[in-house]
Amino acid sequence: MDRKNRQWLLARRPQGMVSADDFRWVETAAPTPAEGEVLVHNLWLSCDPTQRGWIAGDTYLPAVKIDEVVRSFAVGEVVESRHPKFQPGQLVQGLFGWQDYACVKSGTPSSPSHLPPGVPIETAMSALGLTGITAYYGLLDVGRPKPGETVVVSGAAGATGSAVGQIAKIKGCRAIGIAGGAEKCRWLTEDYGFDAAIDYKSEDVGARLRELCPKGIDVFFDNVGGEILDAALAREREELRSEELSQPAHPARAHGRLHHP
Ligand SMILES: NC(=O)c1ccc[n+]([C@@H]2O[C@H](COP(=O)([O-])OP(=O)(O)OC[C@H]3O[C@@H](n4cnc5c(N)ncnc54)[C@H](OP(=O)(O)O)[C@@H]3O)[C@@H](O)[C@H]2O)c1
């Protein structure tokens, strides 16, 4: 069957803000899967901050090459399979890129994996996907908050931050979010159950943290770095700071109960 594959390729490495000229649109025929490969028809693409890094240069993955399809998480439907574990009609997720059809293989960075049965695609790509996993393990494995402790999260209205605040609440913590703008802050406290929100665009973050965390911050989950990270480190609970200073600088402890993805 002739299948047209619309693709966005990386035309050049962006300088500063990403622009449409950094990408190039091409139309080709969809590939035919070889032995062991699966042809996936993309249904949903995920838009993640990490993609900015992938098109800029090498990160934890090699950089997307110029003239290569832009890398992206996606969910799609198997339309042809030459792999025994995948059948046409099944929903799969993986790094399928900005294109209609991806020809992918197990054991590679773009390896497909089945969607959990019965889980809506949006949920599989968000709360039960990479974002939820990042929030869950970052907060619970690295942050290790105890009930009653104060968890502060930056980028709190974002994908990861909003999940972190909600998990903190489920674990019986006090959740304070830092976000840009009154509307996002209202959303955090009224819709997402955060105990308080700081609008870093109109408020003094350091002063508000002193007010809201008089005994200091127990766990800071950082999504943004920079001045907000500095302000939060200055409010880290005194006992934690001295505990860290008295410990040898083991890499697992060096971040203490500070999480930066
Ligand atoms: N999503 C994932 O699966 C995942 C996995 C691993 C790591 N991470 C990392 O986690 C972090 C957050 O990712 P995300 O997917 O949650 O992003 P996101 O939904 O895009 O949220 C990021 C938020 O950060 C805020 N922000 C941006 N620049 C800022 C600045 N200079 N100062 C203060 N706030 C700023 C913006 O909100 P305001 O409007 O409030 O400023 C933005 O909406 C990123 O560092 C990302 O690389 C994410």
Side-chain angles (χ1 to χ4, degrees):
M1 189 201 288
D2 280 348
R3 296 188 172 103
K4 186 166 72 175
N5 200 13
R6 298 169 300 168
Q7 302 178 308
W8 279 107
L9 310 184
L10 183 63
R12 62 181 189 193
R13 305 224 172 272
Q15 302 292 324
M17 296 298 278
V18 174
S19 80
D21 294 337
D22 298 328
F23 307 100
R24 191 161 61 82
W25 168 278
V26 294
E27 294 185 3
T28 61
T32 304
E35 188 57 36
E37 289 183 343
V38 174
L39 186 67
V40 177
H41 180 210
N42 277 338
L43 302 174
W44 290 74
L45 297 178
S46 181
C47 188
D48 302 293
T50 195
Q51 288 171 283
R52 180 65 180 83
W54 293 343
I55 58 178
D58 291 338
T59 54
Y60 53 94
L61 288 178
V64 177
K65 296 190 183 78
I66 303 300
D67 289 333
E68 203 171 53
V69 173
V70 178
R71 185 185 295 141
S72 167
F73 287 105
V75 165
E77 183 184 347
V78 175
V79 288
E80 275 184 53
S81 175
R82 296 193 61 193
H83 189 291
K85 273 171 67 183
F86 299 94
Q87 310 305 328
Q90 291 179 332
L91 290 177
V92 288
Q93 57 190 336
L95 286 172
F96 303 152
W98 287 0
Q99 56 186 342
D100 288 309
Y101 293 95
C103 205
V104 290
K105 195 172 183 170
S106 288
T108 65
S110 54
S111 182
S113 60
H114 290 103
L115 243 64
V119 174
I121 292 177
E122 300 95 309
T123 312
M125 294 179 87
S126 55
L128 297 185
L130 215 60
T131 300
I133 291 170
T134 301
Y136 186 92
Y137 287 103
L139 182 64
L140 301 185
D141 267 28
V142 181
R144 304 189 306 275
K146 298 186 191 77
E149 289 191 334
T150 297
V151 173
V152 176
V153 52
S154 61
T160 309
S162 59
V164 169
Q166 292 174 83
I167 296 169
K169 289 306 297 175
I170 290 168
K171 294 292 178 187
C173 302
R174 208 170 139 244
I176 297 173
I178 305 173
E183 180 56 23
K184 285 190 176 181
C185 287
R186 187 205 60 72
W187 182 73
L188 288 177
T189 53
E190 292 180 17
D191 296 346
Y192 274 65
F194 281 65
D195 296 280
I198 301 172
D199 175 2
Y200 75 86
K201 289 190 176 163
S202 68
E203 296 183 292
D204 177 334
V205 176
R208 287 283 283 139
L209 285 175
R210 277 195 295 281
E211 204 177 290
L212 291 166
C213 316
K215 293 182 185 160
I217 299 169
D218 295 293
V219 177
F220 179 57
F221 192 110
D222 186 32
N223 282 303
V224 299
E227 289 174 5
I228 290 178
L229 172 61
D230 291 344
L233 286 177
R235 286 307 303 157
E236 200 181 28
R237 191 157 58 83
E238 199 59 53
E239 296 85 339
L240 291 176
R241 229 177 301 158
S242 43
E243 185 192 330
E244 273 163 31
L245 289 176
S246 67
Q247 299 291 328
H250 184 280
R253 286 202 56 85
H255 283 89
R257 297 172 70 200
L258 162 83
H259 180 266
H260 184 77

